[in-house]
Amino acid sequence: MNPSQRRGLLGSALLSLLVLLIVGAYYLWGETWQARVLYATFVNLLVVIGLQVFTGNANLTNFSHAAFMGIAAYAAAICVTPVAMKAISLPDAPWGLNAFELGPWTSALVALGITGGLGLLTGVFVARLTGVGVTIVSIAILVIVHSIFLHRTDIFKGNQALFGIPKVLDLPQITALVIIAIFAARWFRESRFGLQLRACADDEIGARAMGVNVFRTRLIAWVLGTLFFAVAGIAYAFFLGTISARPFYFNFVFLTVAMLILGGLRSVSGAVFGTLLISIGLETIRWLETGPQIAGLKLPQMLGLSGLMLGVVIVAVMALLPSGLMGNLEIEDLLRRRKRAETPEPR
Amino acid sequence: MDYAIQQILNALSFGAEYALIALGLAIVFSIMGLVNFAHGEVIAFGGYSMVIIGTVLTGNPFILMGAVLIACVLVSVLLERVAFRTVRKADLTTGLLTAFGVSIILQNAFLLLGSPRPIPATQFIFLDRTVLVGSIQVSSLQIYETVATALAIVALMIFLRRSTLGLAMRAAALDFEMVRLCGLRANRVIATAFAVSGLLAGLACIFIMARRGAVSPHMGFDPVLTAFVACVIGGFGSLPGAVLGGFLLGAVEVGVLVLLPQSYGSLAHAAVFALVALILVWRPDGILSPAKEKGDKI
């Protein structure tokens, strides 16, 4: 292991500690409804960490993550829902989709396989492109997948809910998933491929000249990112019990991209901090949106306030801190920097 | 035969609308490399200002049309001043995300200050009438739309070729630094680009309002998404490319609707986007964009 990989381990451990502290605080003082909020935050965290793998390291904006998450969520949900339940929720499903059921583990593996396969297929196209091309093809993927969800109501129920999915995961399991994801993303960032990918983002021609296979590196990151989205999608379906096509579209894409850029594209710690900050902020704003009473003052109901703030965050971060809160730094760099500032420099 | 002519006219008017919006995107992109996703909200702003002016001041449709055009130009220039000037020198991703942010802010502002439900504004509906040309029934709006787009393209061409500022804008698309060295103000060139883009958005807004007869916060998003695709197909930043892409996309969309069975109508969007993805894989820089070496702009 080289020094930066060792530091990567330390940084991932610190971030995991932060996640564990939050979960611990919930178990000590939290109320039951907050478990749902925390779970949703962790699902978002999985997505944002997955985004960091491709978007962050390659500096190419990807908007298709909601599509892959949706594919995995539907695949897992259709596999795991009991036959008796599917007779009600998916009566017209073709190809015998409503005539079998699998265990949660097998379902998750099937969903991962399907999403990973599609990731590989799309990745072969995406990895050839540069700049805006990647963004547009990713939007195309998002729109195509969403249209198919809406069109095949016999399989996906469109905007109606696909219900009856057994609840498989809970807070402890997703905490474990998040910690694994943090270590995996950080490991990728410090690995040979991560370094090559960051080099391509800074100077593609230079990287090529140094012998980096840009296509292969981008393909690996794209597929790996897809797997993160798949895990998030599966976790989403396995907790909520019902899914519909609506959440897997532009609104969710904006939310997660805002989380990533607030923290800073280039660092895994940034992804974690951005997600936590925006989640906390949004919960506060959602509470304001319903028009609560503060000190006897009845605030009006304000629809759209959360979206407005999200946009303000994106624009402000881009204008004032183009590389996000963390920039190129990881959590352990912050600590080391403080240490260096405290001890006087030797002359 | 009648059916074919009707469909061709459909394709032309769809294409004209996409071409108008795509031109607005391309003119900004060619000069400052910004993918302006907030363009759709400029269109929606035009719609809202029409509602306000229409109820407060006057219902005269021709004055309203002028007002919509002015409102779109003003808001477009304002957005450049407030939001996009800070990211002028930043890379493509930063600009793209900023534009997305602005688009979200405006959409939610419309939601917050207006209403999530469509607000009716029917002053332009009179443009949409059925007229008989020979033995064929056509919608007058489609004719207006095609003609107005053609006129706008010609006017834009004259402006870009005959005026100093137009010349500066064409030069800026090639090498912005050089234009500044020649003594032209960067701010003025960019503000003009945004003004032209706003004017085109206003024109598109009038036709969209004539067809829909109501404004809603998200009304600009879908047309701009499609226009964005049109830009990409034609070659991003190339103005002829944007027009070509717009009309091509209109033809494809009508073609898909005609050829696919009725029950697949909801997949028209998916088919268009799949086609785009394939075109991009075939020519990553779009159809009309000049072949460029990777190291050219560094």
Side-chain angles (χ1 to χ4, degrees):
Chain A
M1 247 195 299
N2 62 29
S4 67
Q5 282 167 340
R6 265 200 298 277
R7 282 197 287 131
L9 274 184
L10 174 68
S12 318
L14 285 172
L15 288 175
S16 311
L17 195 66
L18 178 68
V19 170
L20 285 175
L21 278 178
I22 294 171
V23 177
Y26 161 73
Y27 276 116
L28 283 180
W29 303 295
E31 292 173 45
T32 345
W33 62 271
Q34 282 167 335
R36 240 181 135 77
V37 177
L38 201 55
Y39 195 93
T41 308
F42 282 170
V43 169
N44 289 344
L45 189 52
L46 282 175
V47 175
V48 178
I49 293 173
L51 266 180
Q52 199 277 332
V53 169
F54 182 80
T55 300
N57 288 322
N59 199 20
L60 295 169
T61 318
N62 169 18
F63 284 148
S64 65
H65 45 287
F68 289 110
M69 194 181 157
I71 292 170
Y74 272 111
I78 289 173
C79 288
V80 82
T81 310
V83 172
M85 203 58 177
K86 274 196 277 199
I88 310 168
S89 63
L90 290 172
D92 315 316
W95 314 314
L97 281 178
N98 54 4
F100 74 102
E101 65 179 90
L102 299 172
W105 279 101
T106 343
S107 308
L109 280 179
V110 169
L112 269 178
I114 292 176
T115 321
L118 286 173
L120 188 64
L121 194 70
T122 49
V124 171
F125 294 102
V126 170
R128 287 166 44 103
L129 303 167
T130 46
V132 208
V134 174
T135 312
I136 292 162
V137 172
S138 73
I139 291 179
I141 295 170
L142 181 65
V143 172
I144 292 170
V145 170
H146 190 72
S147 305
I148 293 174
F149 283 162
L150 292 188
H151 179 69
R152 293 306 300 253
T153 39
D154 50 345
I155 307 177
F156 303 112
K157 307 282 281 180
N159 269 333
Q160 282 171 318
L162 171 64
F163 52 85
I165 310 160
K167 184 171 169 175
V168 181
L169 299 180
D170 213 331
L171 209 48
Q173 289 91 336
I174 195 153
T175 312
L177 281 177
V178 164
I179 289 174
I180 294 171
I182 289 174
F183 272 95
R186 193 62 208 278
W187 168 80
F188 178 78
R189 185 181 185 267
E190 308 302 345
S191 74
R192 189 157 70 98
F193 295 116
L195 190 64
Q196 289 180 348
L197 200 57
R198 282 183 285 151
C200 298
D202 288 338
D203 184 349
E204 192 182 323
I205 299 151
R208 270 182 207 278
M210 301 295 283
V212 173
N213 185 339
V214 178
F215 174 79
R216 192 184 60 181
T217 330
R218 283 198 182 136
L219 184 62
I220 291 172
W222 176 267
V223 176
L224 192 66
T226 327
L227 293 179
F228 277 83
F229 308 143
V231 172
I234 297 166
Y236 180 86
F238 278 3
F239 177 77
L240 233 53
T242 68
I243 52 177
S244 78
R246 205 187 300 260
F248 305 118
Y249 208 40
F250 274 106
N251 280 342
F252 182 76
V253 169
F254 291 146
L255 175 70
T256 41
V257 168
M259 287 171 172
L260 183 63
I261 63 177
L262 173 66
L265 290 174
R266 301 204 65 162
S267 96
V268 178
S269 318
V272 175
F273 292 153
T275 311
L276 295 180
L277 280 178
I278 289 202
S279 301
I280 295 169
L282 274 186
E283 271 315 305
T284 325
I285 290 169
R286 273 200 198 115
W287 172 72
L288 281 177
E289 236 174 9
T290 55
Q293 277 189 323
I294 300 175
L297 203 72
K298 178 86 175 80
L299 292 175
Q301 203 178 349
M302 289 177 286
L303 278 176
L305 193 64
S306 50
L308 194 72
M309 292 317 292
L310 212 59
V312 170
V313 167
I314 296 182
V315 174
V317 170
M318 283 293 136
L320 307 174
L321 284 167
S323 49
L325 289 178
M326 298 293 288
N328 215 359
L329 297 178
E330 291 283 356
I331 187 167
E332 75 275 1
D333 296 325
L334 287 184
L335 298 179
R336 275 154 48 104
R337 199 176 252 197
R338 176 155 311 152
K339 219 175 188 176
R340 203 176 297 158
E342 278 166 7
T343 49
E345 292 279 322
R347 309 214 162 181
Chain B
M1 189 59 206
D2 290 6
Y3 182 71
I5 292 179
Q6 235 158 30
Q7 294 305 338
I8 289 172
L9 206 66
N10 263 339
L12 273 179
S13 73
F14 268 44
E17 188 184 309
Y18 295 145
L20 270 183
I21 304 175
L23 260 180
L25 290 175
I27 205 159
V28 167
F29 185 87
S30 69
I31 289 177
M32 61 179 282
L34 172 78
V35 181
N36 187 6
F37 258 104
H39 199 64
E41 280 55 53
V42 174
I43 296 176
F45 182 85
Y48 277 98
S49 56
M50 172 185 160
V51 170
I52 295 171
I53 297 169
T55 46
V56 176
L57 282 176
T58 167
N60 182 329
F62 295 101
I63 299 177
L64 268 184
M65 282 180 199
V68 167
L69 291 181
I70 294 171
C72 285
V73 170
L74 286 181
V75 77
S76 183
V77 173
L78 185 77
L79 284 183
E80 189 272 322
R81 183 71 198 82
V82 176
F84 298 131
R85 191 165 286 190
T86 47
V87 294
R88 193 181 286 174
K89 291 224 169 69
D91 63 357
L92 209 81
T93 310
T94 314
L96 181 89
L97 291 173
T98 310
F100 257 114
V102 171
S103 153
I104 301 172
I105 293 178
L106 287 176
Q107 274 184 21
N108 285 287
F110 297 146
L111 202 67
L112 202 62
L113 303 174
S115 147
R117 265 179 238 105
I119 306 173
T122 51
Q123 285 93 337
F124 296 161
I125 293 267
F126 76 99
L127 291 173
D128 194 5
R129 248 177 294 172
T130 313
V131 289
L132 278 174
V133 179
S135 61
I136 312 160
Q137 282 194 342
V138 293
S139 147
S140 59
L141 181 66
Q142 292 186 331
I143 299 173
Y144 289 137
E145 205 167 359
T146 314
V147 172
T149 306
L151 287 180
I153 292 171
V154 172
L156 188 65
M157 237 165 65
I158 293 174
F159 169 70
L160 286 177
R161 290 188 186 276
R162 300 277 173 224
S163 72
T164 319
L165 209 54
L167 188 69
M169 282 169 63
R170 281 196 303 144
L174 289 178
D175 190 340
F176 196 55
E177 286 310 310
M178 193 62 207
V179 173
R180 297 183 64 186
L181 288 175
C182 290
L184 277 146
R185 280 168 176 263
N187 284 348
R188 238 180 79 193
V189 176
I190 289 181
T192 316
F194 271 90
V196 171
S197 142
L199 195 67
L200 294 168
L203 210 53
C205 174
I206 292 174
F207 290 120
I208 292 175
M209 290 305 298
R211 192 170 304 137
R212 292 171 48 119
V215 284
S216 62
H218 307 289
M219 68 183 261
F221 193 78
D222 276 339
V224 166
L225 205 61
T226 320
F228 183 51
V229 169
C231 276
V232 174
I233 296 183
F236 227 99
S238 146
L239 302 189
V243 175
L244 173 80
F247 281 104
L248 203 66
L249 220 57
V252 169
E253 204 167 311
V254 171
V256 168
L257 284 174
V258 170
L259 294 179
L260 280 185
Q262 200 79 42
S263 59
Y264 285 87
S266 55
L267 283 184
H269 229 55
V272 170
F273 273 88
L275 190 80
V276 170
L278 288 180
I279 288 183
L280 269 183
V281 172
W282 167 54
R283 290 206 61 159
D285 293 316
I287 297 173
L288 282 196
S289 87
K292 194 168 63 181
E293 283 295 312
K294 272 244 154 93
D296 263 8
K297 274 225 157 175
I298 297 176

